[in-house]
Amino acid sequence: MTQSAQIGDGTRAVRAGLPEALKNEPTLPGPVFAAHFHLPGDVSGPYTYGRDDNPTWTHLERAIGELEAPSQEDVDTLVFASGMAAISAVLFSQLKAGDVVVLPSDGYQVFPLVREQLTAFGIEVRTAPTGGDAQLDVLDGAKLLWIETPSNPGLNVCDVRRLAEAAHARGALVAVDNTLATPLGQRPLELGADFSVASGTKQLTGHGDILLGYVTCRDAELTAAVRGWRKIVGAIPGPMEAWLAHRSLATLQLRAERQNANALALALALRDRDDVEGLRYPGLPDDPSHKIAAQQMRRFGCVVSFTLPTRARAERFMEALTLVDDATSFGGVRSTAERRRRWGGDDVSEGFIRFSAGAEDPDDLVADVLRALDEAAV
C-alpha cells in the first residue's frame, strides 16, 4: 500500500494505484494491449503472458487494495472478468469434494446455480438467511462461510465480526461479498474476513459500461490458490475494462456520497406512504438492519427496496418513471429500478422493487418517484 490509512476517502480514491510520477509520462498510463511480452532467456519478471498478468491490471489491483484495506500492507487483489468470475474463483479454489460451505439463502439470485455446481462436485452446501446471524447455527464442520451483507435484494445485514470470529474458531474461512457496500461503505478484511469479493460492475465503477470482479485477500497462500484458478479458467478482464475501472475509481467518493444521500432521501420520502410496504434501507434509523449496519458500515449504499401491492401496480409504477431506467444491476450514476420477481430467482413478492439511486438532483428524483407512485395507484 502506498497511501496512508489516515487520509480521506476522496483523496485515496483519486490517488489509488497510480504509478510513480515520471516526467513526460501520463499520470494514469493507458491500457496495455498485449497477449505476450518480450521474454528472452530464462522466464523472469512480472509480465510474461497475457493470461497471467498485465500492467493495467496491476495498477487497478493496487488501487482496489488501497481502498479495501488501506492499513494493511500485505493485502493482494486480483481482478476478474466479472463478479461471478471472482465469486467462482474463491469457491472453487478453496473447496474440494467432501468439504462443507455455508451460503446465504437470501443472496444473489445466481447462487442456486452455484449450489447445483458445488453439489455436483461433491461439496455439501448449507444455507441460512443473512438476518439475525443465522449462519452461526450451521457452521460446525464448514470449510468456508460465504457472507453477503447487505444482502441482495432484501438488504438484510449480519454481524461480520461476530460471524468471522465464530467461523475461525471452527476452522472455517470467511468470504464477504462487498458489492453493495463498496470499500467506501465497508471493509470486510478489517472486520475479520479472509476474502473481500465484489462485482466491480456496480457502484465501484458506477457507469454501467463494464463487467468486472475482484478478490482482495490478506493471506499469500489463499491468494495464490485464487490466482491459480484465474490462470486455469482464464476469467481475466480485458485491459480496456481494467483501465476504465481504474479511471472511474477517481470519482467513487463523489458518486457514493451523492447516491447514498439520494437513497436516504428516497427512503425517507417513502416511509409514510400507505401504498409502500416492506421498505428497507440500512441507513434508516428504524430499519431492522440499522443497528448492526451502523456498527460496521461507514456508508449505507445506494439501494432501496420496497414492495407495491400487486404486480400490475409495480409495472404501472415502472412505466410511469421518467428519470429512472427500467434495468437490472445497480450502483450507476443514472437511477435504475426493476420489478425483481421478473427474473424468478429471488424469494420476493410480485410487487417487489429494487431501486438503485443515481446521482440526479435529489428533489428531482424523489419527485419523479412520488409522481409515478401516484399515477400507478389510479
Side-chain angles (χ1 to χ4, degrees), residues 7 25 28 51 74 81 91 93 141 155 194 200 227 240 244 250 271 300 307 309 331 350 356 366 374 377:
I7 65 175
E25 292 294 323
L28 177 62
R51 192 180 68 252
D74 56 348
L91 291 172
S93 69
L155 303 182
D194 300 289
R227 187 187 301 275
M240 191 66 190
L244 285 170
R271 189 162 52 175
F300 298 109
T307 301
E350 291 287 358
S356 173
V366 170
D374 290 339

Side-chain angles (χ1 to χ4, degrees), residues 87-111:
I87 290 171
S88 299
V90 173
L91 291 172
F92 293 109
S93 69
Q94 302 303 318
L95 298 170
K96 63 182 184 304
D99 286 340
V100 176
V101 61
V102 177
L103 301 179
S105 59
D106 55 347
Y108 181 46
Q109 64 151 342
V110 178
F111 266 118

Side-chain angles (χ1 to χ4, degrees), residues 101-107 115 125-139 145-148 151 158 163:
V101 61
V102 177
L103 301 179
S105 59
D106 55 347
R115 180 176 184 174
V125 180
R126 301 173 187 166
T127 61
T130 299
D133 297 344
Q135 300 97 323
L136 288 171
D137 297 330
V138 292
L139 274 179
L145 167 64
W146 192 278
I147 298 172
E148 184 178 290
S151 62
C158 58
L163 287 168

Side-chain angles (χ1 to χ4, degrees), residues 163-172:
L163 287 168
E165 289 175 355
H168 290 155
R170 292 165 171 81

Side-chain angles (χ1 to χ4, degrees), residues 328-359:
T328 194
S329 198
F330 56 84
V333 291
R334 289 173 290 278
S335 290
T336 59
E338 69 172 333
R339 191 182 67 82
R340 190 64 184 166
R341 186 60 183 269
R342 65 184 180 176
W343 293 96
D346 294 310
D347 185 18
V348 295
S349 66
E350 291 287 358
F352 182 93
I353 300 293
R354 185 182 70 183
F355 193 104
S356 173

